[in-house]
Amino acid sequence: MKKPIANRVDTIFIHVMDLQKSVEWYSQLLGVEVKGEVHGPIYTFNMGEGRPGLTLDNHCFDEGYELKPLNQPLFNLSASDIHEAYQHVKDIGTKFLSDIQHYPDLSEFTFKDPDGNIIMICTCFS
């Protein structure tokens, strides 16, 4: 079988309006320092060896670009302690869409970033 496309995800794009503000917010969310200068159109957070990056994109060169956040999570982030993660997200100031939901194999909650993008945080029990 012909395979011209690699079987991996290199980065997840998050569309934002104010790159500097979003980089600072995601830096707090992820607990990582900003490396290098922040200038458009993109900034990528390294999420660990072998994992896709999170790339913030402000479309500064796309005249007339209009941000239209989806009404479901773009991706999920993992947390070893869902309650500690919930408190951390609360502390950085955000709009929650759900309280912690508990299921047999995971717990999760959802919230919005400063641009209205929905993010989920999960703790898996398997």
Side-chain angles (χ1 to χ4, degrees):
M1 173 189 289
K2 187 175 179 180
K3 189 175 172 155
I5 299 171
N7 188 17
R8 70 173 188 261
V9 173
D10 290 328
T11 195
I12 297 167
F13 277 85
I14 305 167
H15 304 282
V16 302
M17 295 303 294
D18 184 329
L19 187 63
Q20 182 67 45
K21 178 180 172 184
S22 294
V23 167
E24 290 169 10
W25 190 85
Y26 275 92
S27 173
Q28 286 184 308
L29 176 70
L30 299 170
V32 297
E33 289 186 32
V34 176
K35 296 183 179 183
E37 291 187 34
V38 176
H39 50 83
I42 63 171
Y43 182 88
T44 300
F45 285 95
N46 181 330
M47 299 300 285
E49 185 68 33
R51 297 184 183 265
L54 282 184
T55 299
L56 306 181
D57 184 348
N58 74 352
H59 297 272
C60 65
F61 300 126
D62 299 335
E63 189 175 315
Y65 176 79
E66 183 181 343
L67 178 63
K68 296 179 183 176
L70 300 175
N71 64 355
Q72 66 268 338
L74 295 175
F75 57 90
N76 81 281
L77 297 169
S78 297
S80 58
D81 182 324
I82 197 74
H83 298 284
E84 183 179 7
Y86 187 90
Q87 186 61 51
H88 174 69
V89 172
K90 185 176 180 180
D91 290 346
I92 66 171
T94 190
K95 180 179 179 185
F96 284 93
L97 296 177
S98 73
D99 289 326
I100 298 171
Q101 305 295 312
H102 298 282
Y103 304 100
D105 56 349
L106 68 94
S107 292
E108 54 91 1
F109 64 91
T110 55
F111 58 98
K112 289 185 176 185
D113 76 1
D115 290 290
N117 295 303
I118 300 173
I119 302 168
M120 177 183 284
I121 295 197
C122 296
T123 298
C124 296
F125 306 125
S126 54

